[in-house]
Amino acid sequence: MSELTAKVDYLADLNQAQRDAVTCTDGPIMVIAGPGSGKTRVLTYRISYLIEQGVPPWQILALTFTNKAAKEMRERIEKVVGSRAKYIWAGTYHSIFAKILRIEAAKIGYPPNFTIYDTDDTKSLIGDIISELSLDKQVYNAGQIRARISSAKSNLISPKAYLQQEELMNQDKLNRIPYFQTIYERYVNRCQKAGAMDFDDLLYQMYIMLYRNPENVKEKYQSQFRYILVDEFQDTNYLQYAIVKQLIEYPGSNKNICIVGDDAQSIYAFRGATIRNIFDFESDYPQHRKFKLEQNYRSTEHIVSAANQVIQNNRNQIEKTLWTDESGGNKIRIIKAVSDQEEGKRVADSIVEWKNRAGLANHQFAILYRTNAQSRIVEEQLRRNNIPYKVFGGLSFYQRKEIKDFIAYLRLATNPRDEEALKRVINYPRRGIGESTIQKALEYANEHQITLWEALHHPELLGRSASAVKHFLAVIQSCMEQASTQNAYAAALYIGKASGLLDALKADRTQDGISRLDNVNALLDGIQEYLENDEAVENETGERDLSAYLQTISLLTDQDEEIKNHDFVTLMSVHAAKGLEFHTVFIVGMEENLFPSYMSMADPDQLEEERRLFYVAITRAKRQLILTYATMRYQYGKPRFNDPSRFLEEIDQRHIDTAVTLRNAGPFADGPRILSTIPKLGAKKENKVEVDPAQFKVSPSEEIEVGMEVLHIKFGPGKVLHIDGARDNRVATIEFHNIDDPQRRIMLKFSKLQIIKR
DNA sequence: AACAATATCTTTTTT
DNA sequence: AGATATTGTT
């Protein structure tokens, strides 16, 4: 097939608006793309088109929100233009800028292998600074201080500039945190000294570098990136847009920038994203051309209309209406449950039902929730029904303690100035280096303006633990040598052994200990895979060493996870679901104070963001949408009663399957409650067993012993596995033969059991 | 210094 | 409920 026919082919694939957005290559362009309107298709075809028009791929910069989005885009472009696609610069803001900053590190006084501090590192460092300043840490909450520093950086306010902003300084006084600026300044210093950047620095330092423009580095990148595309523009913050502007604005520039976004899907205002960027773009580039993609190819009419109705309740929005020509389809179902547990059960039952009746596969279902904490209960119920599932988000692999410990060693071996990594592992595994020693060394380091690592080399201040410290330093020293001479895997393996970390894990034979060791081994496997992956990032000299490996993982997202086995039900937060689609979507926890979140209820703007979030959730569904809520749910370990979400009322009844809703006792009606609207198929074990009360004779609880066969009035026959506690507090673990989750713990004092066989 | 017991906080969402 | 921080005990 000639290049020409290929081109004709894919352009024919597009509707008019999409085609215009693809072929209008020069000058500033804005594409407003509703959910399911073929946005990704436009982006990939546009880049393919540019390359076919003769633009060298390395002159194209495509900024996306996740690495996965970038990777998928690249793969789809590759199908059109072949291997040239490898050379386009596509990635997240953070990863692209990290890459550039490493190349240019020398120009801004950072080592090329600088460490990237994650949120935990940042918080722990701020916590240290707060106690060094002897401030009350109830008042100076490390998490809140972190957020405030982050927002200062995102608005390009340096510690020095902050000092001059009277309004901010006054705010701090009013909020009783007058020393905020001092903390901020110290924090920036310490990061610099540790050779570390936090997430915001990757943007902030990039901006500052372009602004100060050492050795004309700005012109270098301006002339390289002739075509810039920004995906999810509604979720960019002030700083991100400011950087893009620096890259695009210079005398004689064509301003070939294409932004793609949807104000209705802006869901990251809480971390500084602002839809004002969209309006600013319009006034910054008055000559821009605007295309609206309003035809939805994803969902049926009921779903699209419901989404439109919901979003109409927001005042701030760009006028547009999503439409579809997929008429009809299933109506939306609303399920009411008495408790969070029952809610999960109903979801699981529905999935079983539809798998049997409609032949759907696991991967066609998604269960979405507002907060990650909600996954636990749903998981329980899915497990009970043997439905395979996968939870995305929450505690990711890289946030597990054992993984962070290991990675801290790896970080230390490539950058011993990394204070957070050093503190994390200096006494893990235990080597008798305690709190007081670290404290002394930290004080010394701050006093003499040196790093913690250097301070530890002064044996006179160490006292009792001097020899332990000396040994530790020697171990790290040898790790550093390995890291600079060996490949990533060999170095990591050496470090795991030399540090004693692997031995410590192996020694722990508990169930948790074994799984921790498995995780660390999985990490080692991951490093091996990294060596074999030909698309992997390499360091400046083209090697796959530890420092290059650490670069690749520090900016991974949960959503970047490779999916191998495909057939499972997806569980994730609504935020994480952005950009995805599923045949059937459950949105659980549709309750006031949860969705919308109680944190947003007081502020109309935040409430609108919650509504946009709901809009995103609805539009993930292709064919079927089920909304569920519970009258009672456990929050903070306490039962809470919430009303059904106000968002439910915003959907017109004609899109709602009232047959289900009525049988369900309805979201707003009172009436007899029917626990299951969906009849159970086949013989399914219930958690109740028929026992004839007339035949039942209670045995005295003190006679019950391990190994006996007993009968329970509700759970039926079972075997006593073991008994803890004594006398009145005896608790038996009994395996019942005829119920769903057979192992139960029963307080013998209260239970009624009949001994069948002693 | 190490470990166990107790108190406190968290949950909004994430690069 | 569960994780983490703090305090107390050996």
Side-chain angles (χ1 to χ4, degrees):
Chain A
M1 196 194 287
S2 80
E3 294 233 316
L4 193 68
T5 35
K7 189 166 89 192
V8 171
D9 255 346
Y10 69 79
L11 286 181
D13 244 13
L14 302 171
N15 68 32
Q16 189 59 48
Q18 290 173 331
R19 197 163 2 184
D20 289 345
V22 166
T23 56
C24 181
T25 55
D26 284 28
I29 306 216
M30 172 159 134
V31 181
I32 300 293
S37 64
K39 183 193 70 170
T40 312
R41 174 178 288 200
V42 164
L43 272 169
T44 56
Y45 284 180
R46 186 180 162 85
I47 294 173
S48 307
Y49 186 77
L50 284 171
I51 292 173
E52 294 205 327
Q53 297 289 308
V55 177
W58 45 269
Q59 289 189 353
I60 300 170
L61 170 64
L63 296 166
T64 59
F65 242 69
T66 61
N67 298 301
K68 186 177 159 211
K71 196 178 163 208
E72 273 174 15
M73 203 191 287
R74 200 194 303 270
E75 282 165 2
R76 286 168 73 162
I77 295 168
E78 206 168 336
K79 286 201 180 119
V80 186
V81 303
S83 61
R84 282 176 289 175
K86 261 218 290 268
Y87 301 102
I88 55 178
W89 283 62
T92 61
Y93 283 89
H94 292 85
S95 65
I96 297 270
F97 296 161
K99 188 171 166 185
I100 294 176
L101 286 170
R102 289 194 199 280
I103 296 171
E104 313 295 346
K107 298 193 176 77
I108 56 168
Y110 267 88
N113 57 346
F114 60 79
T115 301
I116 295 172
Y117 275 176
D118 67 14
T119 308
D120 286 343
D121 297 322
T122 299
K123 262 198 339 213
S124 129
L125 176 50
I126 291 171
D128 279 3
I129 294 172
I130 289 169
S131 53
E132 282 162 23
L133 292 169
S134 319
L135 297 168
D136 183 349
K137 55 188 162 223
Q138 308 283 355
V139 183
Y140 288 85
N141 174 298
Q144 284 164 17
I145 300 289
R146 189 207 66 82
R148 197 163 171 82
I149 290 177
S150 167
S151 99
K153 282 187 183 168
S154 304
N155 287 292
L156 282 169
I157 302 169
S158 67
K160 242 191 191 153
Y162 196 96
L163 202 55
Q164 274 141 31
Q165 298 242 355
E166 262 177 56
E167 199 191 325
L168 293 174
M169 295 297 285
N170 277 333
Q171 261 176 31
D172 290 344
K173 268 182 212 143
L174 280 172
N175 292 326
R176 299 181 195 279
I177 48 169
Y179 288 100
F180 170 78
Q181 193 276 339
T182 314
I183 301 172
Y184 182 19
E185 189 157 25
R186 278 201 181 209
Y187 171 74
V188 168
N189 265 326
R190 290 278 273 279
C191 286
Q192 169 90 40
K193 218 169 66 178
M197 294 205 193
D198 64 20
F199 288 137
D200 299 305
D201 280 329
L202 296 174
L203 309 175
Y204 183 81
Q205 303 289 352
M206 178 75 190
Y207 180 89
I208 298 292
M209 182 178 80
L210 293 175
Y211 180 77
R212 298 206 179 127
N213 199 13
E215 298 170 45
N216 290 328
V217 66
K218 182 158 108 177
E219 282 75 19
K220 173 176 166 189
Y221 289 100
Q222 282 176 335
S223 63
Q224 176 175 343
F225 298 131
R226 293 291 182 191
Y227 288 86
I228 299 182
L229 295 93
V230 183
D231 193 10
E232 310 280 10
F233 190 71
Q234 76 282 352
D235 287 330
T236 54
N237 65 25
Y238 171 79
L239 177 51
Q240 288 166 325
Y241 183 37
I243 297 169
V244 169
K245 276 204 285 197
Q246 288 215 67
L247 287 173
I248 211 77
E249 282 178 9
Y250 51 91
S253 167
N254 268 342
K255 298 181 179 160
N256 297 328
I257 176 169
C258 170
I259 63 158
V260 182
D262 178 8
D263 59 299
Q265 293 183 73
S266 159
I267 54 174
Y268 286 106
F270 72 90
R271 67 170 196 222
T274 163
I275 18 185
R276 229 186 44 219
N277 280 349
I278 296 186
F279 304 117
D280 287 349
F281 182 87
E282 297 202 272
S283 55
D284 289 343
Y285 303 100
Q287 75 278 33
H288 76 277
R289 298 197 53 187
K290 180 151 104 190
F291 304 103
K292 283 189 191 176
L293 310 182
E294 295 177 299
Q295 182 175 1
N296 175 296
Y297 294 98
R298 179 183 294 155
S299 314
T300 58
E301 192 198 338
H302 286 301
I303 294 168
V304 170
S305 303
N308 277 330
Q309 282 166 0
V310 166
I311 203 67
Q312 224 116 69
N313 291 285
N314 275 7
R315 310 184 103 247
N316 300 316
Q317 54 178 319
I318 295 175
E319 226 16 80
K320 69 175 163 318
T321 307
L322 207 58
W323 61 276
T324 175
D325 52 17
E326 299 265 343
S327 60
N330 289 337
K331 290 188 175 183
I332 297 165
R333 295 185 176 199
I334 295 178
I335 296 179
K336 172 185 182 172
V338 275
S339 66
D340 45 4
Q341 271 210 11
E342 203 218 12
E343 180 185 52
K345 197 165 159 212
R346 302 276 300 272
V347 170
D349 286 347
S350 304
I351 292 175
V352 171
E353 153 94 1
W354 281 316
K355 275 166 68 174
N356 287 331
R357 203 166 63 183
L360 293 181
N362 294 316
H363 71 261
Q364 296 181 289
F365 297 95
I367 302 168
L368 308 182
Y369 33 76
R370 178 66 240 270
T371 64
N372 283 312
Q374 287 166 258
S375 75
R376 218 191 77 247
I377 285 180
V378 180
E379 285 179 67
E380 236 168 67
Q381 302 299 329
L382 292 176
R383 265 200 304 274
R384 230 171 248 204
N385 286 278
N386 289 322
I387 301 169
Y389 66 87
K390 191 169 164 61
V391 183
F392 294 80
L395 251 203
S396 83
F397 181 73
Y398 293 98
Q399 290 172 316
R400 288 164 209 245
K401 183 185 176 299
E402 62 275 19
I403 299 300
K404 294 197 80 164
D405 290 337
F406 196 2
I407 287 177
Y409 272 108
L410 304 184
R411 275 164 52 174
L412 208 50
T414 58
N415 174 17
R417 288 157 64 187
D418 184 338
E419 188 181 314
E420 295 311 305
L422 180 50
K423 279 187 303 193
R424 187 175 185 99
V425 298
I426 189 167
N427 199 29
Y428 182 80
R430 296 254 140 80
R431 21 176 102 81
I433 305 172
E435 201 53 40
S436 55
T437 308
I438 298 166
Q439 222 46 51
K440 250 185 273 169
L442 257 180
E443 271 167 38
Y444 187 88
N446 288 333
E447 225 171 276
H448 295 80
Q449 280 299 311
I450 56 174
T451 61
L452 182 56
W453 170 254
E454 287 161 337
L456 289 171
H457 285 81
H458 292 257
E460 70 275 13
L461 66 115
L462 298 174
R464 232 172 352 147
S465 44
S467 69
V469 171
K470 221 172 146 197
H471 179 245
F472 173 72
L473 293 176
V475 168
I476 298 299
Q477 201 61 255
S478 74
C479 293
M480 284 165 64
E481 273 155 36
Q482 295 290 315
S484 59
T485 54
Q486 303 288 106
N487 70 38
Y489 181 78
L493 197 60
Y494 175 86
I495 293 168
K497 285 178 184 159
S499 63
L501 193 111
L502 284 173
D503 287 340
L505 286 168
K506 276 179 199 151
D508 183 354
R509 299 311 298 166
T510 63
Q511 197 56 49
D512 288 354
I514 291 166
S515 97
R516 276 195 290 271
L517 182 61
D518 286 347
N519 285 333
V520 169
N521 281 325
L523 183 74
L524 281 165
D525 290 346
I527 301 177
Q528 184 67 53
E529 265 171 52
Y530 160 79
L531 288 181
E532 290 159 10
N533 176 3
D534 39 284
E535 278 178 39
V537 179
E538 294 170 342
N539 71 5
E540 301 74 37
T541 49
E543 283 161 318
R544 305 249 167 117
D545 62 5
L546 252 193
S547 123
Y549 170 73
L550 289 173
Q551 283 172 44
T552 62
I553 59 162
S554 52
L555 293 172
L556 280 185
T557 337
D558 298 324
Q559 287 147 67
D560 295 329
E561 207 173 325
E562 200 75 46
I563 294 169
K564 286 178 187 141
N565 158 25
H566 212 231
D567 199 35
F568 48 74
V569 173
T570 296
L571 272 70
M572 55 171 58
S573 71
V574 181
H575 281 88
K578 190 171 74 161
L580 305 179
E581 56 177 36
F582 302 91
H583 178 281
T584 296
V585 169
F586 295 87
I587 308 173
V588 299
M590 289 303 304
E591 293 141 41
E592 291 287 294
N593 297 315
L594 190 59
F595 200 179
S597 152
Y598 68 96
M599 298 291 292
S600 322
M601 304 272 260
D603 178 353
D605 287 341
Q606 287 189 48
L607 198 60
E608 294 211 343
E609 174 145 317
E610 294 284 313
R611 191 175 279 112
R612 291 193 295 270
L613 195 53
F614 185 45
Y615 176 80
V616 168
I618 294 173
T619 52
R620 299 309 97 197
K622 285 155 66 170
R623 291 288 170 271
Q624 207 157 215
L625 178 65
I626 303 95
L627 309 173
T628 71
Y629 66 95
T631 321
M632 187 281 292
R633 91 169 48 239
Y634 282 92
Q635 281 173 307
Y636 297 97
K638 285 209 151 73
R640 295 278 299 258
F641 295 83
N642 293 316
D643 288 333
S645 170
R646 66 187 71 190
F647 295 153
L648 292 175
E649 296 174 71
E650 294 173 3
I651 300 172
D652 198 297
Q653 285 294 312
R654 72 172 188 277
H655 300 305
I656 292 173
D657 190 337
T658 42
V660 172
T661 308
L662 284 178
R663 261 192 294 157
N664 211 357
F668 314 114
D670 287 309
R673 197 166 39 78
I674 294 161
L675 286 183
S676 183
T677 52
I678 298 157
K680 292 212 171 60
L681 296 177
K684 198 176 156 295
K685 283 183 186 173
E686 272 268 22
N687 275 343
K688 252 188 205 161
V689 177
E690 288 293 313
V691 176
D692 185 353
Q695 302 281 310
F696 192 82
K697 274 220 315 262
V698 181
S699 313
S701 71
E702 53 271 28
E703 286 182 35
I704 305 219
E705 296 299 340
V706 173
M708 289 175 173
E709 286 285 334
V710 294
L711 190 68
H712 186 280
I713 187 91
K714 276 206 302 241
F715 300 141
K719 183 176 184 176
V720 181
L721 295 182
H722 43 108
I723 293 177
D724 327 299
R727 320 195 54 142
D728 267 356
N729 293 321
R730 296 208 306 163
V731 179
T733 306
I734 302 177
E735 182 161 80
F736 292 101
H737 307 313
N738 298 334
I739 63 172
D740 239 17
D741 52 20
Q743 290 209 3
R744 298 274 176 151
R745 287 174 57 79
I746 306 264
M747 282 282 286
L748 290 178
K749 187 164 65 162
F750 302 120
S751 72
K752 294 185 166 50
L753 292 169
Q754 177 181 358
I755 296 169
I756 311 174
K757 211 174 89 197
R758 287 176 191 261

